[in-house]
Amino acid sequence: MSLQVAIMYAVAAVLALVGAGLLLALARPRGPAAVYVFRMVGIMALAGGVVLAFSATAMWNWSLQP
């Protein structure tokens, strides 16, 4: 695994954890503005982490081919 792929996986993990944390924070009562922001940012961060992990996996697979 190259350094670039490892960095992509690390950033993807951070994004996914932040997104999941924001979504889990919605279990406590919040105001309407906070709910909106936590949902939007949480979903976008989680989706960004998943997409970046997919991209890192594809990049890793392409680098292994002869």
Side-chain angles (χ1 to χ4, degrees), residues 16-50:
L17 288 174
V18 168
L22 286 172
L23 292 174
L24 288 173
L26 290 172
R28 298 183 62 187
R30 305 257 181 219
V35 169
Y36 177 77
V37 170
F38 279 31
R39 278 184 190 165
M40 292 299 287
V41 175
I43 289 171
M44 293 300 286
L46 190 59
V50 169

Side-chain angles (χ1 to χ4, degrees), residues 2-66:
S2 68
L3 179 62
Q4 292 87 354
V5 173
I7 291 170
M8 287 174 72
Y9 277 127
V11 173
V14 168
L15 284 173
L17 288 174
V18 168
L22 286 172
L23 292 174
L24 288 173
L26 290 172
R28 298 183 62 187
R30 305 257 181 219
V35 169
Y36 177 77
V37 170
F38 279 31
R39 278 184 190 165
M40 292 299 287
V41 175
I43 289 171
M44 293 300 286
L46 190 59
V50 169
V51 170
L52 190 58
F54 286 160
S55 297
T57 302
M59 189 170 154
W60 187 17
N61 287 334
W62 290 333
S63 68
L64 295 178
Q65 300 200 3

